[in-house]
Amino acid sequence: MPPRRASGTGIDDETLAANLAGLLFQSCEAGAGLIGNTLVALGRDPARAAAARADDRLCLQAAADCARLDPPVHNTRRYLARPLILADTALPAAATVLLVLAAAAMADAGAAPWTFGAGRHACPGRTPALQAAGLAVAHLLRAGIDVAALARAFQYLPLPNARIPQFGAARSGYPGV
C-alpha cells in the first residue's frame, strides 16, 4: 500500500515501515529461492534442462512448476484481527498463526498453489516474479551453466521459513543444511 494511502487506514508509520521492509526482504529471498530451486529441478532432469536451454517458455514453465512443487517460502505468519474458530479450536484476536505453505500444493493437485497467496492476501508480484525467475534461468542456461553439476553440489541456507539453495557452499564455508 503506498504511504499516501496508508494514512487513512490507521496503520502507524512504524508498522508501515516494518511491513515494507519485510516485503522487500521476502521478495529477495523468495526470488533467489525460486531461481535456485528451478535450477536444481532442471539439474535433476537432464532432458527437461536440454529442452529448456533452447526454449524460454520451458524455463518459464519450469519456474511455475517449481513455485508449486518446491516453493521457496515454506511458511509465513499471520496475525488475527479478530477471534476465529479454526478446526474446532478457538483462537483469540492478535493470535499468531503459522501457515505452512510448502506442502499445500500436494493436498489438492488441481488447486492453485499457495506460493503467492490467495484472495486479498494474493501477491501482486506473482506474474513478474515467475517471469523474472524463468527468464533468469533461461539466461543462465544460454550462458552455459551446468545445472546437473549445480544439482549435485549445493546446500540450503539455514533459514526458518525459506528453502534457498546455495551453490558452491563447500567453498564458502557457510554452514548450510
Side-chain angles (χ1 to χ4, degrees):
M1 173 180 316
R4 66 184 181 281
R5 291 186 56 208
S7 63
T9 65
I11 299 173
D12 62 87
D13 289 344
E14 189 174 298
T15 300
L16 177 62
N19 278 282
L20 290 174
L23 176 64
L24 291 173
F25 281 105
Q26 185 177 15
S27 297
C28 181
E29 286 182 344
L34 185 56
I35 292 166
N37 291 337
T38 303
L39 291 171
V40 169
L42 289 172
R44 291 176 175 163
D45 187 344
R48 189 173 190 193
R53 194 176 300 276
D55 188 342
D56 288 0
R57 292 172 298 175
L58 297 177
C59 293
L60 294 167
Q61 184 58 53
D65 291 346
C66 186
R68 186 174 66 83
L69 300 172
D70 189 12
V73 177
H74 276 201
N75 64 66
T76 188
R77 287 173 176 69
R78 293 291 182 256
Y79 305 94
L80 298 180
R82 57 186 168 273
L84 171 74
I85 296 181
L86 181 65
D88 298 326
T89 301
L91 301 170
T96 302
V97 178
L98 179 68
L99 301 173
V100 180
L101 306 171
M106 298 305 158
D108 181 0
W114 289 13
T115 307
F116 292 97
R120 64 185 229 173
H121 292 286
C123 175
R126 178 186 191 281
T127 298
L130 290 172
Q131 288 176 341
L135 294 175
V137 168
H139 174 77
L140 292 168
L141 290 174
R142 280 194 305 275
I145 194 166
D146 184 350
V147 289
L150 289 179
R152 287 190 303 269
F154 72 94
Q155 295 176 317
Y156 289 107
L157 293 173
L159 300 169
N161 72 327
R163 184 170 155 94
I164 303 172
Q166 180 185 30
F167 303 108
R171 290 189 308 274
S172 74
Y174 191 88
V177 289

